[in-house]
Amino acid sequence: NALNYRTDDVATRVGEITGGLGVDRIVEVAFGRNLGLDAEAIALHGTIAAYSSDAEAEPRLPFWELLFKNVTIRLVGSDDLPEEAERLAVKDISTCLGAGVLRPRIGMRFPLERIAEAHEALEGSQSCGRVILDID
């Protein structure tokens, strides 16, 4: 099931889809902004793995709600993963792309010379999909 966070009541839909149990794992790109939603949607003994919190660098935790669900919060720094983990990730992603299992939506393409414009498109959410840099 795909949910649109801009139009769907995500917490309600997650509850409906999971029979009220919530989801076991959340991979979070906007940790501070989404903590309230995550606390509602996460299952008992679930894990929230966050690798970014741009909008709120020092988020406040809904402590009691997360505590009573025994939630694990993992902060994942992608800049210092072990080299072997990165190698395996590239291999797995390439395999999934080749098999057609992973089909990312490409929203915009830029030549490398326009990298600043590509970054601005990401920051401004101008793209619906991935922003690709073409490197010769």
Side-chain angles (χ1 to χ4, degrees), residues 38-91:
D38 293 348
E40 287 182 67
I42 196 74
L44 186 65
H45 304 290
T47 298
I48 301 169
Y51 64 92
S52 185
S53 189
D54 291 347
E56 201 170 330
E58 297 183 18
R60 294 179 54 116
L61 292 174
F63 180 78
W64 294 109
E65 190 171 5
L66 295 169
L67 174 80
F68 289 127
K69 287 186 174 182
N70 258 332
V71 171
T72 298
I73 296 174
R74 296 205 53 207
L75 304 178
V76 182
S78 61
D79 293 341
D80 58 357
L81 293 173
E83 191 173 318
E84 178 66 7
E86 289 182 3
R87 189 186 67 71
L88 290 172
V90 168
K91 180 178 176 263

Side-chain angles (χ1 to χ4, degrees), residues 106-111 114 118 127 130-135:
I106 298 173
M108 301 173 119
R109 297 185 85 99
F110 294 90
R114 292 174 51 200
S127 176
R130 301 289 179 219
V131 173
I132 303 296
L133 283 176
D134 291 318
I135 302 171

